Amino acid sequence: MFNNTVYKALSDENRRKILDILLDGDRTAGEIAEHFEMSKAGISQHLTVLKNAKLVYTEKHGQYVIYSLNTTVFQDVLKWLLKFNKKQETASTPREAERRDVKGYDPT
């Protein structure tokens, strides 16, 4: 299961952009930094948060550290979120069904 460090990591737009970059394949910190207008130290801090949340793996190749996505954590988050969708679809009491029909309620 995942913990609150995952939510903290995902709450930042720059970290989400790093994850999007890593969707295209493994990258070094320098390659990731090319996509940003911030210092390499700033990128390093974001990568550390992602690593502590276990959203990325690191592997040392000589003098380079290669970053890659840990899809297992994303699968755990998705499973947890889908439980709410399933609960809503199977509303068994009138009150639960009523909540689905509230004007302006959009679970997506």
Side-chain angles (χ1 to χ4, degrees), residues 4 9 11-12 14 16 18 20 22 44 55 62 74 76-77 80-82 90 98 104:
N4 287 336
S11 71
D12 183 87
N14 290 313
R16 291 191 307 269
I18 290 169
D20 285 338
L22 292 174
S44 179
L55 291 168
F74 291 101
D76 289 344
V77 171
W80 183 76
L81 289 171
L82 287 174
T90 60
E98 182 181 297

Side-chain angles (χ1 to χ4, degrees), residues 48-63:
T48 297
V49 172
L50 291 169
K51 185 178 175 184
N52 289 341
K54 297 182 174 50
L55 291 168
V56 297
Y57 289 121
T58 58
E59 189 173 326
K60 186 105 166 133
H61 286 270
Q63 66 183 15

Side-chain angles (χ1 to χ4, degrees), residues 2 5 27 32 36 38 40 50 53 67 76 78 88 96:
F2 53 95
T5 59
R27 302 279 189 272
I32 292 167
F36 295 88
M38 73 171 71
K40 288 188 179 182
L50 291 169
Y67 292 87
D76 289 344
L78 188 56
Q88 187 219 357
E96 289 174 343

Side-chain angles (χ1 to χ4, degrees), residues 9-27:
L10 294 174
S11 71
D12 183 87
E13 181 180 352
N14 290 313
R15 290 190 286 268
R16 291 191 307 269
K17 183 176 178 181
I18 290 169
L19 295 172
D20 285 338
I21 292 165
L22 292 174
L23 275 173
D24 293 330
D26 300 348
R27 302 279 189 272

Side-chain angles (χ1 to χ4, degrees), residues 57-97:
Y57 289 121
T58 58
E59 189 173 326
K60 186 105 166 133
H61 286 270
Q63 66 183 15
Y64 298 102
V65 176
I66 307 296
Y67 292 87
S68 57
L69 289 177
N70 177 4
T71 57
T72 304
V73 175
F74 291 101
Q75 291 169 355
D76 289 344
V77 171
L78 188 56
K79 283 182 204 174
W80 183 76
L81 289 171
L82 287 174
K83 288 192 309 187
F84 292 95
N85 187 46
K86 184 177 178 182
K87 180 162 177 67
Q88 187 219 357
E89 289 174 356
T90 60
S92 59
T93 67
R95 181 74 175 141
E96 289 174 343

